[in-house]
Amino acid sequence: MRIGSAKQSYAADAALFDSRTQWAWVGVLVASLLAFPFVANEYWLYLACLVAINIASTTGLNLLTGYTGLVSLGQSAFMGLGAYTVAILQIRYGTPMLLNLLAGGVVAMLAGVVVGVPSLRVKGLYLAIATIAAGVIAHFVFSHFADLTGGSAGLSVPPAQVLGVVLDSSFKLYWVIVPITVLLLIGAANLFRTRIGRAFIAIRDRDISAEVLGIPLLRYKLLSFAISSFYAGVAGGLFAYFFRAITPESFPLIMSIFFLAAVIVGGMGTMLGSVLGAIFMTLVPEVLKLIVGWLPLGESAMLVLSPVRTIVFGLMIVLFLIFEPHGLAEVWRRIRRLFHLWPFRT
């Protein structure tokens, strides 16, 4: 028996979905995801796959920045490591897609552990600068180890195969990319029902107090970097299979800023924020393309788009930090409360 909203068991308190209404909405979402490829055209399927890849990487960064309080601008570097690992394995050895994605995540995870070592001594802006250095080193490796990475020309990735089906279209890739992203989201959500996730939150809220309580800071900070980088590596591998070509310029610093903006805009420290932020920030460039396309700029339209996109990303971060620091997730919670109280709201 439940009294009000009190939970009467640990299982009920730890449940991801604790009401029939929530389970009903989950059913609607699953049905929508299953039906979407059959009603959407190629452009919307492309956007859906791109959004799913961005959600996976944003979730990883949110684990690090939103839940553990460690700012990183190296997400694109970890994605690049995952993408190049997948590309090399696919081209040279033709190993299975899922094995390649796992290997890409592991390689990025190992790099994340190395990059995370300074996190015990520095944090905030200084840690962000340290992670930028990781991106510079990764770009150097991608550009100069031509025998392995193809140098500035990059690598062309053959289409993946799953159960004999060649994944050479957005429709086919959708059935791999979206389920993997859903599994990563479920894994991240369940992580915070464990000691590890709660240790991350304790470190974010007050790292000195967490250490006094017996939480080894270095171990859990490195673990946070490792999990975040694993997510980025898997997302990078999906990126390689989706675009079928990667170069050192595929993973610039602006991509790391993009993911940090997605975390801030969506809401730091919430899984819903990772999803909403990634969707919002992925669709912003598409809207900008439409706006720039309407302007009488001719062939110079694309030259205008790149700096405008960078300005918009920065502006989004500033505006959300000032006016809605809890992001789109908080906006969604307010809308839900509004409907819960309607028509008795004041």
Side-chain angles (χ1 to χ4, degrees), residues 53-106:
I53 293 170
N54 289 340
I55 287 174
S57 189
T58 303
T59 300
L61 184 59
N62 209 352
L63 290 173
L64 181 67
T65 301
Y67 283 97
T68 319
L70 303 174
V71 180
S72 172
L73 286 173
Q75 198 73 349
S76 62
F78 301 130
M79 281 189 68
L81 287 171
Y84 272 97
T85 300
V86 164
I88 292 168
L89 290 175
Q90 186 69 44
I91 293 169
R92 296 195 174 191
Y93 305 105
T95 44
M97 178 184 187
L98 296 181
L99 180 62
N100 294 344
L101 290 173
L102 180 62
V106 170

Side-chain angles (χ1 to χ4, degrees), residues 253-264:
L253 177 61
I254 184 63
M255 179 180 280
S256 295
I257 297 174
F258 169 91
F259 289 118
L260 182 60
V263 170
I264 294 173

Side-chain angles (χ1 to χ4, degrees), residues 69-73 122-132:
L70 303 174
V71 180
S72 172
L73 286 173
V122 297
K123 54 186 177 180
L125 177 62
Y126 301 102
L127 181 59
I129 293 173
T131 56
I132 291 177

Side-chain angles (χ1 to χ4, degrees), residues 129-165:
I129 293 173
T131 56
I132 291 177
V136 173
I137 294 171
H139 189 276
F140 178 86
V141 172
F142 300 155
S143 300
H144 291 82
F145 286 75
D147 292 340
L148 189 63
T149 65
S152 59
L155 297 172
S156 295
V157 185
Q161 294 188 34
V162 175
L163 300 177
V165 178

Side-chain angles (χ1 to χ4, degrees), residues 55 58-68 185 188-189 192 201 204 262-278 325-333:
I55 287 174
T58 303
T59 300
L61 184 59
N62 209 352
L63 290 173
L64 181 67
T65 301
Y67 283 97
T68 319
L185 279 170
F192 296 97
I201 295 172
R204 177 197 65 190
V263 170
I264 294 173
V265 169
M268 291 191 291
T270 65
M271 288 298 102
L272 179 61
S274 300
V275 175
L276 296 179
H326 298 293
L328 293 173
E330 179 61 26
V331 175
W332 173 250
R333 282 191 287 267

